[in-house]
Amino acid sequence: MGVFDDLVGQERAAGTLRRAAAAGAELLAGGRGSGMTHAWLFTGPPGSGREEAARAFAAALFCPDQGCGHCDVCHQVAIGSHPDLEVVRPQGLSYGVKDTRRLILRAAGAPTLGGWRVVLFEDADRATEGASNALLKAIEEPPPKTVWLLCAPSPDDMMITIRSRCRVVTLVTPPTAAVAHVLATRENVPPETAASAARAAQGHLDRARRLALDAEARRRREDVLSIPASLTGVGECVAAAERLVKTADEEAAAVTSILNEAETAELRKVYGEGSTGKGLNKGLVRGGAGAMKDLEDRQKSRATRTKRDVIDAALLDLVALYRDVLAVQFGAPVELANDDRRAELDALARSSSPEDTLRRIDAIMLCRRRLSANVNPQMAVEAMTLSLRNPRL
């Protein structure tokens, strides 16, 4: 099975990338290589597999068989150890100009193995304005064998001057049936559980996998979906917001704490903590104070981003719930993400009008925008839960 076969529900994009990889091999062999370009922009909704598609394309560029999926080169790309592949994954809320300039210097080096040098920039939309301007210069005048693979949710999330210099690969939300098939065949998930997880994840393969395999992830989702029915008064709205934010804090701490400890211990080791010799330890640790402060700032930014991502995932679950309510109210013949909660959907549909449901969806989306603008999470979520309150339940 080749690297492009792992792109669930992305047949059109996979075909484009296969042809481009063949053109890249032709170009390296001295041919024209029509269809190959030095800058690519992978776009698509969450869960569509932007990063996976970019990584598969990188493997196809390096692989002698253009992405066979089983050779040493493809394996190196899959685990991130290929010497000519630079993977950038912003850990904080943004990616600054200093980091971008260092990245550009690394990208300018000649390929180690004589083929391409590939930079895979995940979440490229997190680049600051200064970083984007620096990136634009690198894309405008790239070294002859450097290929940039940028990933962002939408072309509009990137500077127009950057996206105009990239070939855009648009990915789509994978069909529920395709996601369920992957879970059943590759993860040995029972078909009924796979179908339920695929519906709940709305085509997001990684999230569907977590829901199918992780009981704690399913419990957290159930807690979120139980919020609308609990909002019977102002006190209940405030309490629900507090629970949601507290859960996000705990999950973010669990995700980042182990990584933070390992990074801090490694940096202290680099700067000589625990070394022997008169004056050695003290001097090196003092010299590393600035580096330690930079690390702490990055860790704090990463924790904030993780917390925000956790809350955002919960908000998207709520949007899906109210979307289902709206579908029930209009009798629309569409697949419901929460079909297993049909009684609750019917109760919410009977107790409100379609206009009420749309207003509640707008309130959730406003909360997402406020969180992106660094509004205090507790205040933003409280305002949302008060707007979701349904006195008739």
Side-chain angles (χ1 to χ4, degrees):
M1 186 172 67
V3 293
F4 295 115
D5 295 327
D6 286 334
L7 304 183
V8 181
Q10 309 296 343
E11 289 77 13
R12 182 175 180 180
T16 297
L17 296 173
R18 281 193 180 97
R19 291 189 293 272
E26 179 186 349
L27 193 61
L28 289 178
R32 295 182 57 186
S34 178
M36 179 60 190
T37 185
H38 68 279
W40 297 75
L41 177 58
F42 293 79
T43 67
S48 58
R50 298 184 299 264
E51 290 78 13
E52 290 78 5
R55 192 178 292 271
F57 185 44
L61 290 176
F62 293 136
C63 176
D65 296 320
Q66 297 161 31
C68 65
H70 53 77
C71 68
D72 290 342
V73 170
C74 290
H75 178 68
Q76 287 176 329
V77 173
I79 65 176
S81 65
H82 194 283
D84 291 325
L85 175 65
E86 177 88 24
V87 179
V88 181
R89 186 177 294 111
Q91 295 294 311
L93 298 174
S94 61
Y95 195 79
V97 65
K98 290 183 179 179
D99 291 328
T100 303
R101 287 171 178 161
R102 287 194 289 265
L103 171 64
I104 292 170
L105 287 175
R106 296 195 300 272
T112 303
L113 302 181
W116 300 104
R117 185 162 184 80
V118 177
V119 181
L120 198 172
F121 196 156
E122 301 181 7
D123 296 329
D125 54 304
R126 294 185 184 270
T128 63
E129 183 178 356
S132 295
N133 287 326
L135 184 60
L136 172 61
K137 293 180 181 179
I139 291 177
E140 284 179 328
E141 301 175 2
K145 290 189 176 182
T146 296
V147 179
W148 289 85
L149 310 180
L150 311 180
C151 302
S154 166
D156 293 337
D157 292 322
M158 303 298 296
M159 285 175 51
I160 188 171
T161 46
I162 288 181
R163 68 173 185 259
S164 67
R165 288 161 174 77
C166 295
R167 183 171 179 183
V168 178
V169 177
T170 303
L171 291 95
V172 299
T173 300
T176 298
V179 174
H181 177 73
V182 170
L183 294 177
T185 56
R186 300 183 192 175
E187 307 290 345
N188 294 321
V189 175
E192 184 176 342
T193 303
S196 176
R199 284 195 305 272
Q202 302 174 79
H204 195 307
L205 179 57
D206 288 342
R207 187 143 192 270
R209 186 179 288 112
R210 286 196 299 273
L211 289 173
L213 302 176
D214 186 351
E216 183 62 21
R218 292 194 295 273
R219 184 195 64 77
R220 287 194 297 268
R221 179 174 180 273
E222 289 299 315
D223 289 344
V224 170
L225 295 179
S226 67
I227 287 177
S230 71
L231 304 179
T232 56
V234 174
E236 288 77 8
C237 292
V238 174
E242 184 177 0
R243 287 196 306 273
L244 182 57
V245 175
K246 183 179 179 181
T247 299
D249 278 330
E250 293 172 350
E251 186 170 348
V255 169
T256 59
S257 60
I258 297 177
L259 184 57
N260 289 352
E261 291 174 5
E263 289 175 342
T264 301
E266 180 64 23
L267 187 62
R268 291 185 181 279
K269 182 179 179 181
V270 167
Y271 279 92
E273 184 171 278
S275 303
T276 59
K278 185 177 180 180
L280 178 61
N281 182 52
K282 181 179 179 181
L284 288 176
V285 171
R286 183 171 61 246
M292 186 63 69
K293 178 65 167 59
D294 288 342
L295 176 62
E296 290 172 354
D297 289 343
R298 291 198 302 271
Q299 290 174 342
K300 183 178 179 180
S301 180
R302 180 171 60 202
T304 301
R305 174 189 170 184
T306 303
K307 176 181 175 180
R308 186 178 295 173
D309 288 347
V310 171
I311 296 177
D312 193 62
L315 298 183
L316 290 176
D317 280 333
L318 287 175
V319 168
L321 180 72
Y322 282 111
R323 168 198 169 273
D324 287 350
V325 171
L326 194 64
V328 171
Q329 289 172 327
F330 281 113
V334 298
E335 181 181 67
L336 302 180
N338 301 280
D339 192 53
D340 55 331
R341 305 176 73 94
R342 189 55 189 262
E344 183 178 340
L345 296 177
D346 290 340
L348 287 169
R350 288 192 303 269
S351 65
S352 61
S353 66
E355 291 79 10
D356 293 329
T357 303
L358 287 172
R359 177 176 55 79
R360 293 185 175 105
I361 292 175
D362 287 341
I364 299 171
M365 300 307 290
L366 176 60
C367 181
R368 296 184 69 205
R369 292 194 296 273
R370 285 172 171 169
L371 291 173
S372 297
N374 290 321
V375 173
N376 179 278
Q378 183 69 33
M379 295 178 62
V381 177
E382 279 183 12
M384 180 197 72
T385 54
L386 287 169
S387 298
L388 298 182
R389 181 187 172 197
N390 188 345
R392 285 182 280 179
L393 278 179

